[in-house]
Amino acid sequence: MIITRAAVLTEVGRPLHLTDIHVDDPEPHEVRVAVTHVGLCHSDLHYMTGTVESEMPVVVGHEVAGVVESVGSAVTDLEPGDRVTGALTPSCGQCANCNAGRSTQCRRQAEIRRRPRPAYSLPDGTPVARLGDVGAFSEHILLRANAAVMLPDDVPTRVGCLLSCCIVTGVGAVFRGAQVRPGSTVAVIGCGGVGSAIIQGARLAGATAIVGIDLDDARLKAAHQYGATHTVNGAGDVPAEIVELLGDGVDFAFEAVGSARTAATALAVVRPTGTACLVGIAPDGTDVSVPASDFFFSEKRLIGSYMGSGQAREDIGQFARLYQQGRLLLDEMVTDVIGFEAIDEGFEAMQSGDVTRIVVAMPTRPETEETTP
């Protein structure tokens, strides 16, 4: 067990509290990672603001990269010094969904996440929860070994952390979730971090028209950098504007906001037989109301995509190669790199349309202490 520093959420709506916590030793199938970089994600804000419930106290954060520090007794494919990013969805590799190539929907996920002791605890012994069983706003974390993906030497952790959530979620939704075909037309509602990744995925998939939709003109301007061929301000009549631009609805629409209104818009902008894919996490209790006739008479499809709808480890590796080839833009998505002590200010800055992704650079603390269980 070690003592390290973490940003702990103790109460909804309150700033994160930087404090020392105890991090347990790795279980046989786990690795302990010294975190170097963590991306700030709007999903974290859901827990911090209470729109999605969580245990308290909790360490949020999940878009993570770092260096393996120690490995469990059963780990054979990783060793100390390996640079890794972490997948939010560890899987058993044996259930029906894993065997079908849908590891993000592993049916034994709760079972394999179970630990005999808390991974994190306060100095007084109080257990501390971890968002997604990652809890990345900590200088050291524990990951199940099959959720850790090695990064190539020329993929810095500064951008490699984006692969673990923003990129695998957005690009994965294009290829694995909706299965966008070359020559298709695509609309993306919400052009923040995940939306920008979806736009890049649509470009890589060979879409001939990609419409970025957002309320913020700065984000719409940035959308062109990632591959949008058209942009529409969401304050207007979005379906009508898309018809005016393209002469019809789009083949695929992606919702990356997480609201009932934008989910309904996604279905409205697809043409008959088109597919609307919901990617953004909506607050607890959100219900989506859509016209039944869209399904009966227009044969539209409404689907969801969680964390890329595929094999996270395999997909992250492929997306790293696309970055190496210069085809997937990651450096351009990092608007700012901030220190750990500025994490709350970083979340405030995320409200700006000038921000695509803010990354926290975690300090190296030589004074980190070893302790006994």
Side-chain angles (χ1 to χ4, degrees):
M1 182 181 293
I2 65 169
I3 299 174
T4 193
R5 199 152 182 82
V8 180
L9 179 66
T10 58
E11 185 179 345
V12 167
R14 301 291 295 174
L16 297 173
H17 178 50
L18 291 179
T19 187
D20 285 344
I21 64 169
H22 290 184
V23 178
D24 195 24
D25 292 327
E27 286 292 302
H29 292 280
E30 292 178 330
V31 297
R32 189 169 68 213
V33 176
V35 176
T36 60
H37 293 90
V38 189
L40 303 189
C41 180
H42 280 275
S43 298
D44 300 316
L45 281 173
H46 281 301
Y47 296 87
M48 295 166 64
T49 60
T51 56
V52 177
E53 290 188 4
S54 175
E55 300 175 64
M56 298 285 172
V58 61
V59 176
V60 294
H62 56 281
E63 195 170 79
V64 64
V67 180
V68 174
E69 190 175 68
S70 61
V71 303
S73 59
V75 176
T76 59
D77 57 347
L78 292 168
E79 59 185 26
D82 287 341
R83 298 162 61 258
V84 297
T85 186
L88 188 61
T89 51
S91 57
C92 72
Q94 299 173 335
C95 70
N97 285 346
C98 286
N99 285 331
R102 299 295 299 274
S103 66
T104 58
Q105 295 297 325
C106 174
R107 296 170 67 174
R108 296 175 57 210
Q109 198 167 105
E111 176 186 340
I112 65 172
R113 283 178 165 178
R114 196 173 297 125
R115 300 183 88 254
R117 299 176 306 279
Y120 292 169
S121 59
L122 297 178
D124 65 3
T126 301
V128 178
R130 300 178 294 163
L131 171 59
D133 281 342
V134 177
F137 295 152
S138 172
E139 293 173 6
H140 295 82
I141 65 171
L142 293 171
L143 285 175
R144 191 170 173 85
N146 71 350
V149 185
M150 287 187 61
L151 290 172
D153 290 340
D154 56 351
V155 180
T157 56
R158 175 181 177 272
V159 297
C161 62
L162 305 187
L163 295 168
S164 69
C165 175
C166 176
I167 295 299
V168 76
T169 296
V171 182
V174 172
F175 284 96
R176 296 279 201 175
Q179 300 180 8
V180 171
R181 303 176 299 275
S184 300
T185 55
V186 173
V188 181
I189 303 171
C191 298
V194 171
S196 298
I198 295 171
I199 290 171
Q200 292 208 63
R203 169 176 54 80
L204 290 166
T208 54
I210 305 169
V211 184
I213 302 162
D214 204 286
L215 295 171
D216 193 291
D217 288 335
R219 285 192 174 136
L220 293 177
K221 181 179 179 181
H224 287 286
Q225 176 184 15
Y226 302 118
T229 58
H230 307 77
T231 55
V232 169
N233 192 295
D237 185 341
V238 174
E241 292 194 44
I242 287 182
V243 168
E244 184 177 346
L245 283 172
L246 303 180
D248 196 359
V250 294
D251 298 305
F252 298 91
F254 295 86
E255 194 277 346
V257 176
S259 79
R261 181 183 62 83
T262 48
T265 300
L267 190 66
V269 301
V270 297
R271 63 175 180 79
T273 74
T275 298
C277 181
L278 307 186
V279 183
I281 296 179
D284 286 341
T286 299
D287 293 321
V288 177
S289 178
V290 294
S293 60
D294 279 359
F295 304 104
F296 293 115
F297 298 115
S298 298
E299 296 187 24
K300 295 183 180 182
R301 295 196 308 148
L302 180 64
I303 65 172
S305 178
Y306 175 65
M307 296 301 297
S309 302
Q311 299 281 29
R313 296 190 72 197
E314 176 184 340
D315 294 347
I316 287 172
Q318 291 176 344
F319 299 152
R321 287 191 287 276
L322 288 171
Y323 170 77
Q324 291 175 297
Q325 297 165 8
R327 299 166 64 193
L328 181 64
L329 307 180
L330 297 183
D331 298 277
E332 294 80 356
M333 294 182 69
V334 179
T335 307
D336 196 10
V337 179
I338 63 174
F340 195 19
E341 71 285 348
I343 190 168
D344 283 308
E345 291 85 347
F347 276 111
E348 291 177 11
M350 286 171 61
Q351 308 305 314
S352 168
D354 294 322
V355 170
T356 300
R357 219 39 162 203
I358 291 177
V359 171
V360 174
M362 304 293 282
T364 300
R365 295 181 68 212
E367 70 274 19
T368 296
E369 302 175 38
E370 292 280 350
T371 186
T372 54

